[in-house]
């Protein structure tokens, strides 16, 4: 026989787990040092320059 499930507790547990995973994502995305952010910004600018330099004028 199956166990009885309290839907309120199951919903709260699911919401809590979703919040934890969102927090982990935000830590990875926003929890960087100033130097790491600068390096990432420089790499993005380099990619943009490379792509703009490869465009053909028509």
């Amino acid at each position: 026989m199956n166990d009885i499930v309290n839907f309120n507790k199951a919903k709260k547990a699911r919401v809590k787990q979703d919040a934890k995973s969102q927090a982990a994502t935000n830590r990875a995305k926003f929890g960087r040092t100033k130097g790491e952010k600068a390096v990432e910004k420089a790499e993005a600018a380099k990619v943009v320059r490379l792509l703009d330099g490869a465009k053909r004028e028509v």
Side-chain angles (χ1 to χ4, degrees):
M1 187 168 231
N2 292 335
D3 293 331
I4 297 174
V5 176
N6 183 334
F7 288 120
N8 287 331
K9 288 185 180 181
K11 179 183 174 187
K12 287 180 182 183
R14 185 177 65 246
V15 168
K16 188 173 183 179
Q17 182 61 35
D18 291 344
K20 283 184 180 181
S21 66
Q22 182 65 35
T25 303
N26 286 342
R27 279 193 301 273
K29 187 175 181 183
F30 298 111
R32 298 171 301 181
T33 65
K34 191 173 189 178
E36 291 171 337
K37 290 177 187 177
V39 168
E40 186 174 320
K41 187 175 181 180
E43 288 175 354
K46 182 179 177 183
V47 169
V48 168
R49 282 194 317 270
L50 180 67
L51 290 176
D52 285 344
K55 284 185 179 178
R56 288 193 229 168
E57 299 294 327
V58 179

